[in-house]
């Protein structure tokens, strides 16, 4: 029932039909928005921050924002909690967060709630307790993503005897969710033997792990990798045993490889976490501050493209760096940022 | 204290005093730039994250004073974090038991390091590198997925304030006053310095070397687990994160050096390391109040860290006897 | 032996290090109220004997009796508990702790289980006064004290443990004659109070002045024990090294008819508050002595010449041209050709774990190069030559740590001889070296000087200055207070100038 | 000293130098790992798998050579992660496909990478040798600064990151059929490092400084320049590894160096180099590298859960160190 009542359901789609909604007393803009980022030392995070700044600079968004303050605190959980406390103490209206831990923010969420500050978490979101009234979470459904990749592999693999699963960083909730979704999809066909290696979402690590697995286990019928897809693809190419279907992340370079080798048998599916999630999060924050009702758990559509559907300049960019994450826009949310907009954001 | 006492004290504690002044300046600047003025909340926030790193830095200081190093302090804190997250759900006695068990686990981990370094005669830097891997593995076993159930009244009380004074700051002061000051004046405590300064001479003099060294590692484990406990209370949960462990370990080493403890052992102390930890934490706070451009922040942080650790080089640059700068 | 039951008795004690037998047959008996000297060449096993007695190492065979009952110590603490306290040759002070902390290191006065700082400082003051060095501030860091002060602190520390048996292993090697005098008085007083003292030194005159009995060791074996007066100095030396040491110092050559132009001179050289306007000159073939109390700037002076000190004022001239050596590297290089034999061979002279050969060629690596690579064959033959020339008892491929102190010192000197320096600076080169080796070193220095090398020699042993030098510059408070020449170099003159007393009987030089 | 004990000492030393315990022990351990792996899955001893391990070992091994130079001095270089990444990213950015110097197969990438690595190492060396800041902490700071610079670099311009052809050729090409070029490059570097350490004045100075820096200085060795040189070479080694990894993975990216720091140090130490400096050999480092790579790979191949992998990895290093420690006690 929630869906019908919430604002812009096209963009802000509830993750679960019966999920909770959030509606705050309307405030008057322009607003002071903060972003408590954690780690910044990888391409995804840098692109995400660039996307945020590019989106916030768009005229109709910019006029709703009085101040946008961004800090990156590194990987330490306590530092990120402190950054949020600082923002709360400094009287910001809403805080965006890409959390270092799914569980560590319960206390600071309570404090935010007391202070009437809206929290919008995205990408690495929280495990909710159910009591939060000031929290909106924006994410792609990680479990669904894993499941989607599993289903795609199931439908694409020629034979279905053995599959290689390349996992992410151990102990991380995204890794857990995608893994569970993937396994749920694969469980439909109990005959498949799944081999698991850890790739840490890193190209070098993933490539080594896949190369070793290929050398020791012979060939696989398909691979699902949560990240480091370029490295994984190179491992398959280096093994010289021919291409197999690979379901991977959203790196531009992976998509370029798929396009280049689709005819040789590299059947690839690419779906991944979009750095533009941050723009959806900002949009949601502004809407909620305006007093609109939003689902508490917003499931952003998963930007998926496979060897049949990839389009140059739209879902992949031949002239742009491999490390760019190609899924950079969400048309349903009127977030239409191309590679140019994002890469130009540092000009200011 | 008369004049010459003060002069001697200043000469022997030049770096910690300098670091203290730097910290005071940074923190005053931070408070002055607070958009909404200084509140108890501001202080509690600064204290909570500062004390966490300060405790790890204290844990790191003891082995460093013996001339060793403990690269597993972060992993022990994470291990304690994971363990505590399963033990601190109850109330009353079970809470006390949970705290005790966590600290005991820290002591055990520290004891393992002690055995390796003291009786196994392994080089501390590499032995603790190996044990940190082991401790992290155990953390993953204890908590394969992030989570945990913590008594939130207990957590709020310990991460809040008492009459406007942050509770964590009181805990830190208690560690310094009730543990460190007396410890330095025990035979074992002085042994820690003696061993770090000149191990062979200490042995010849009849200092109980093994006992002092072992004690340094065990106490380091306890302090690290105290930090892990605090992390559990701040986050009301746990995550077996190798990154977090590495981050804490390296920051702690930086804090120790900034605080004037010599990495060669024998010189320094917990107070300096605490100041060093607070300096490191204030860097991030300053970037916040100064609203630095997000892409420039990591570079600023790195440069300030580099500058801060270079403070320790000033006395050496002044040194006119060139020999002194070669070991 | 007059005492029926000696305080300490060792019977046929053996100590092996792997294949090396450091102590083959250690026998010793010493009673209360006596000073017992242990004599022997470098490597004779004296230190090993001491280490066994004081619990640093455990003997492989033999027995040790304390008050007639067999004992076995598993560490130094055990021995200390039984009243055996040792002042080790390698100092056992903790550089980063204060003097008071060091003196009270293991058994400080305590209150409520914690160390009582004030009481500890008082006790340190008392003990320092007892050894006669009231001037040392008990709060000062040991690191900041000169070596000679540290040795006095070390002795005070040992006394603080109320020893029944006090062992001094070359504890006087770095002391100035003034300190030695004070220490002798103290030791004689302690003997009267009933303490037993084991005294190891390579300085014969000290032993003659102090010891009641002597035990001589060679090659790890006890060869004789006797009343000190029973044998003359020459006899004792013969027992130690198995040959005659006829003339300790080589004869001085006649002074050249026309004085040569100085190769090295300093003009008003200053550094911090340790060197104040030093002007000295040394000519080729000359051995210029630096004397005075320890720590009056002699070391700093040599270090300044060798490029070890930054921010010097004044001028250094080599061959009349002003130079500013910025590092030892610059000092040793071609136009200057300076070499320094440093004070502490273990930390400044040698890479202990590296081989004798590698140490010997460490200062001259660029000489053994062919193209970018080292010419091993040439290097090896140079090492062989220098080992033969200096009679170093060593296997070139073994770590230099396995050599006895005297041979280690020869390696340090040999390293610089390979560089054929024009100017040789020596900082107390015979510290802890036995008579025989000393003699060889003296002969070598004279040989070098005759070959045209200019030598500056700092020594804490004034016999050396008297025996070797043409001129001796006496340092006091960072200045040269007097320069003694020729026959004016006497014990009395050196001591008087060292204390900056101006004797009226002698006109100033 | 009499003749007999010195002869005995000489034989003992000769024996000790002939049986290099760390090399011996790590080789045994490598064989044991292979045997256990083969029992689990026979294809582990296939030439294909083994050559693949050697290729991975080459990347780590090149970093480890650099780490060894620095560790022999008694120092440590914690800036490896971002030196690897920075050299790779800057060189691909400038000379990769689409970069300014992209012509000619991106040949310029090699000199650019080496120059970046050398510059970083030079800065490390300046801080350690001239400012006398402890290397552990100075290189840590430099690592943080490099991270900041790379965030700015990628954020500011999104430089090209596709591996230039020269990187692909260096790392994955096959001059010797069936053997990736990275392996002969590693071997060649091994020979060069051995010659540098064993047969040049520079190498002798490295050991001397590691043994006792002050004595080396007082012997008139160019201590600071040697320290500077070692850090610079270490920077070059990391940079070369960065370029090879770029060629292997097909792109340069942030964080690509993270997995090399601690394993490189572990490899050096398992190879018998004393972490305090002054003692160690190239052959040991090679063995240590292979041991680490094989252990990591085998644990992954055997489907060991991550907790178990961490514990076993730590335990193996631990036990090996204990064995070396015992050997050392026996020798002295
Ligand atoms: N740790 C050791 N390892 C091997 N050999 C040793 C060791 N310590 C001593 N030795 C051997 O024992 C012999 C005796 O050494 P010791 O130190 O007792 O001589 P010393 O009489 O004190 O000489 P010096 O006059 O130089 O002090 C040495 O020649 C050496 O060969
Ligand atoms: N590792 C070793 N192997 C063999 N012999 C050793 C070893 N270490 C020390 N020694 C021997 O131990 C003896 C004592 O060593 P030490 O370091 O005490 O020299 P030293 O007594 O200071 O020399 P000196 O008294 O002449 O100054 C030396 O004579 C040396 O031969
Ligand atoms: Mg001796
Ligand atoms: Mg000796």
């Amino acid at each position: 029932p929630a869906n019908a009542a919430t604002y812009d359901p096209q963009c802000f789609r509830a993750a679960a039909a019966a999920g909770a909604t959030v509606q705050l007393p309307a405030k008057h803009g322009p607003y002071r928005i903060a972003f408590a980022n954690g780690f910044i030392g990888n391409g995804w995070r840098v692109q995400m921050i660039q996307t945020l700044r590019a989106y916030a600079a768009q005229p109709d968004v910019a006029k709703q924002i009085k101040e946008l303050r961004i800090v990156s605190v590194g990987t330490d959980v306590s530092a990120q909690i402190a950054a949020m406390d600082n923002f709360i103490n400094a009287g910001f209206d809403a805080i965006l967060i890409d959390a270092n831990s799914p569980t560590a923010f319960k206390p600071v969420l309570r404090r935010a709630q007391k202070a009437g500050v809206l929290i919008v978490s995205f990408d690495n979101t929280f495990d909710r307790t159910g009591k939060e009234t000031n929290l909106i979470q924006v994410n792609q459904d990680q479990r669904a993503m894993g499941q989607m990749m599993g289903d795609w592999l199931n439908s694409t693999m020629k034979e279905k005897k053995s599959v290689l699963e390349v996992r992410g960083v151990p102990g991380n909730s995204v890794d857990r969710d995608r893994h569970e979704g993937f396994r749920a999809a694969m469980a439909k066909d109990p005959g498949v033997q799944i081999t698991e290696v850890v790739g840490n979402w890193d190209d070098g690590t993933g490539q080594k792990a896949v190369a070793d697995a290929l050398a020791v286990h012979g060939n696989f019928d398909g691979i699902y990798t949560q990240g480091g897809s370029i490295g994984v693809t190179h491992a398959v190419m280096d093994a010289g045993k021919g291409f197999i279907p690979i379901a991977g992340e959203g790196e531009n370079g992976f998509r370029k490889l798929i396009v280049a080798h689709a005819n040789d048998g590299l059947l690839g599916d690419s779906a991944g976490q979009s750095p533009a999630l941050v723009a959806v999060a900002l949009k949601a924050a502004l809407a909620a501050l305006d007093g609109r009702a939003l689902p508490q758990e917003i499931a952003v559509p998963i930007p998926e493209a496979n060897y049949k559907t990839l389009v140059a300049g739209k879902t992949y960019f031949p002239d742009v760096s491999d490390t760019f994450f190609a899924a950079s826009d969400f048309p349903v949310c009127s977030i239409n940022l191309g590679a140019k907009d994002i890469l130009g954001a540092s000009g200011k | 204290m008369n004049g010459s006492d003060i002069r001697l004290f200043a000469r022997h504690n030049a770096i910690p005093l300098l670091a203290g002044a730097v910290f005071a300046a940074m923190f005053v600047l931070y408070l002055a730039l607070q958009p909404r003025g200084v509140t108890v909340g501001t202080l509690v926030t600064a204290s909570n994250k500062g004390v966490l790193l300060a405790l790890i830095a204290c844990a790191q200081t003891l082995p460093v004073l013996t001339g060793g190093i403990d690269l597993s302090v972060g992993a022990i804190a994470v291990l304690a974090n994971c363990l505590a997250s399963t033990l601190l759900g109850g109330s009353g006695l079970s809470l006390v038991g949970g705290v005790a068990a966590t600290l005991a686990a820290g002591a055990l981990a520290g004891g393992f390091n002690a055995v390796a370094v003291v009786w196994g005669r392994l080089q501390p830097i590499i032995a603790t590198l190996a044990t940190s891997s082991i401790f992290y593995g155990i953390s993953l076993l204890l908590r394969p997925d992030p989570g945990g159930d913590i008594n939130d009244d207990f957590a709020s009380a310990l991460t809040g304030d008492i009459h406007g004074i942050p509770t964590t700051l009181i805990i830190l002061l208690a560690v310094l006053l009730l543990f460190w000051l007396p410890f330095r004046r025990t035979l074992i405590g002085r042994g820690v310095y003696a061993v770090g300064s000149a191990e062979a001479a200490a042995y010849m003099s009849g200092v109980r070397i093994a006992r002092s060294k072992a004690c340094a590692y065990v106490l380091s484990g306890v302090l690290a687990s105290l930090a892990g406990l605090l992390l559990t209370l701040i986050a009301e949960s746990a995550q077996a994160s190798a990154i977090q462990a590495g981050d804490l370990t390296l920051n702690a080493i930086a804090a120790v050096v900034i605080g004037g403890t010599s990495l060669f052992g024998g010189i320094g102390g917990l107070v300096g390391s605490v100041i060093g930890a607070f300096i490191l934490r204030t860097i991030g706070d300053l970037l916040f109040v100064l609203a630095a451009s997000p892409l420039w922040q990591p570079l600023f942080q790195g440069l300030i860290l580099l500058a801060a650790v270079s403070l320790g080089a000033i006395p050496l640059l002044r040194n006119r006897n060139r020999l002194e700068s070669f070991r | 032996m007059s005492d029926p039951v000696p305080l300490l008795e060792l019977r046929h004690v053996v100590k092996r290090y792997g294949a090396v037998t450091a102590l083959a047959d250690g026998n010793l008996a010493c009673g209360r109220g006596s000073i017992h000297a242990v004599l022997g060449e470098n490597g004779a096993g004296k230190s090993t004997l001491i280490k066994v007695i004081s619990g640093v190492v455990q003997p492989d065979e033999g027995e040790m009796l304390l008050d007639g009952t067999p004992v076995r110590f598993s560490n130094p603490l055990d021995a200390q508990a039984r009243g055996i306290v040792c002042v080790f040759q390698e100092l056992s002070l903790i550089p980063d702790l204060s003097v008071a902390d060091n003196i009270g290191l293991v058994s400080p006065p305590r209150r409520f289980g914690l160390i009582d700082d004030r009481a500890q400082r008082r006790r340190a003051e008392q003990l320092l006064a007892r050894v006669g060095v009231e001037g040392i501030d008990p709060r000062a860091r040991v690191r900041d004290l000169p070596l000679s002060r540290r040795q006095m602190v070390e002795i005070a520390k040992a006394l603080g443990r109320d020893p029944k048996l006090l062992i001094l292993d070359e504890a006087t090697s770095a002391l100035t004659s003034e300190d030695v005098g004070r220490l002798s008085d103290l030791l004689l007083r302690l003997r009267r109070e009933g303490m037993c003292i084991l005294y190891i030194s390579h300085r014969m005159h000290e032993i003659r002045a102090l010891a009641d009995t002597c035990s001589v060791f060679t090659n790890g074996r006890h060869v004789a024990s006797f009343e000190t007066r029973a044998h003359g100095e020459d006899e004792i030396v013969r027992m130690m090294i198995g040959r005659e040491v006829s003339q300790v110092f080589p004869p001085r050559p006649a002074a050249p008819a026309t004085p040569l132009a100085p190769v090295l001179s300093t003009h008003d050289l200053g550094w911090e508050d340790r060197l104040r306007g030093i002007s000295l000159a040394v000519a080729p073939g000359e051995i210029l002595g630096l004397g005075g109390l320890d720590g009056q700037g002699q070391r700093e002076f040599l270090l300044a010449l060798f490029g070890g000190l930054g921010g010097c004022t004044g001028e250094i001239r080599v061959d009349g041209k002003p130079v500013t050596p910025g590092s030892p590297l610059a000092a040793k290089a071609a136009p200057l050709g300076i070499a320094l034999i440093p004070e502490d061979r273990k930390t400044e002279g040698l890479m202990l774990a590296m081989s004798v050969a590698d140490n010997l060629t460490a200062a001259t690596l660029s000489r053994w190069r062919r193209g970018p690579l080292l010419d091993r064959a040439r290097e090896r033959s140079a090492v062989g030559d220098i080992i033969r020339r200096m009679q170093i008892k060593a296997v070139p491929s073994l770590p230099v740590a396995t050599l006895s102190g005297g041979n280690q010192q020869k390696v340090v000197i040999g390293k610089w001889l390979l560089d054929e320096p024009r100017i040789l600076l020596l900082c107390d080169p015979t510290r802890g070296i036995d008579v025989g080796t000393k003699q060889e070193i003296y002969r070598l220095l004279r040989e070098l000087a005759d070959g045209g090398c200019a030598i500056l020699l700092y020594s804490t042993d004034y016999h050396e200055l008297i025996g070797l030098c043409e001129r001796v510059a006496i340092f006091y408070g960072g200045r040269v207070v007097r320069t003694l020449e020729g026959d004016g170099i006497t014990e009395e003159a050196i001591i008087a100038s060292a204390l900056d007393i101006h004797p009226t009987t002698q006109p100033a030089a | 000293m009499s003749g007999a004990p010195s002869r005995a000492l000489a034989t003992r030393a000769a024996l000790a130098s002939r049986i290099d315990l760390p090399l011996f022990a790590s080789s045994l351990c490598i064989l044991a790992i292979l045997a256990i792996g083969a029992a689990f899955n026979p294809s582990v001893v296939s030439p294909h798998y083994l050559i693949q391990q050697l290729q991975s070992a080459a990347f780590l091994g090149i970093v480890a050579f650099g780490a060894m130079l620095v560790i022999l001095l008694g120092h440590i270089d914690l800036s490896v992660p971002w030196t690897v990444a920075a050299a790779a990213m800057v060189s691909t950015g400038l000379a990769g496909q689409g970069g300014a110097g992209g012509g000619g197969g991106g040949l310029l990438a090699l000199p650019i990478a080496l120059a970046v690595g050398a510059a970083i190492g030079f800065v490390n060396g300046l801080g350690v040798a001239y400012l006398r800041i402890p290397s552990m902490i100075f290189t840590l700071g430099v690592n943080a600064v490099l991270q900041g610079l790379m965030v700015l670099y990628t954020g500011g311009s999104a430089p090209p990151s596709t591996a230039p052809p020269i990187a692909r050729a260096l790392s994955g090409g096959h001059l010797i059929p069936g053997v990736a070029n990275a392996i002969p490059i590693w071997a060649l570097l091994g020979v060069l490092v051995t010659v540098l350490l064993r047969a040049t004045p520079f190498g002798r100075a490295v050991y001397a400084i590691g043994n006792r820096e002050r004595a080396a200085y007082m012997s008139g060795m160019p201590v600071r320049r040697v320290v500077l040189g070692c850090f610079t070479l270490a920077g070059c080694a990391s940079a070369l590894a960065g370029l090879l990894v770029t060629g292997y993975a097909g792109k340069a990216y942030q964080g690509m160096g993270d997995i090399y720091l601690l394993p490189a140090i572990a490899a050096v130490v398992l190879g018998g180099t004393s972490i305090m400096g002054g003692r160690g050999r190239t052959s040991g480092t090679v063995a240590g590298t292979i041991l680490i790579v094989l252990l990591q790979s085998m644990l992954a191949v055997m489907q060991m859960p991550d907790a178990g992998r961490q514990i076993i990895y730590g335990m193996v290093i631990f036990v090996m160190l204990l064995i070396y420690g015992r050997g050392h006690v026996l020798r002295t």
Side-chain angles (χ1 to χ4, degrees), chain D residues 11-21 281 331:
Chain D
T11 25
R12 227 154 35 94
L15 258 176
S17 67
R18 211 168 306 144
I19 305 172
D20 185 346
L21 179 74
R281 298 179 183 198
R331 258 184 294 166

Side-chain angles (χ1 to χ4, degrees), chain A residues 34-42 45-46 48-50 52-53 69-76 79-81 83-84 87 96 98 100, chain B residues 49 247 280-281 283-285 287-288 291-302, chain D residues 147-148 151:
Chain A
F35 173 31
N37 183 39
F39 184 54
I40 193 176
N42 67 36
R45 293 288 174 118
V46 172
M48 181 261 288
I49 286 182
Q50 295 293 73
L52 175 61
R53 297 169 77 198
R69 183 89 60 96
I70 303 172
V71 291
S72 299
V73 297
T75 51
D76 183 8
Q80 199 174 21
I81 294 173
M84 291 187 65
F87 287 132
L96 314 183
D98 189 342
N100 281 344
Chain B
K49 71 169 172 174
D247 192 272
L280 280 181
R281 290 305 206 190
I283 297 176
D285 287 338
L287 292 180
F288 160 70
S293 158
L295 289 185
W296 284 86
Q297 285 175 17
L299 181 59
F300 285 150
Q301 295 222 358
Chain D
Q147 170 176 356
V151 165

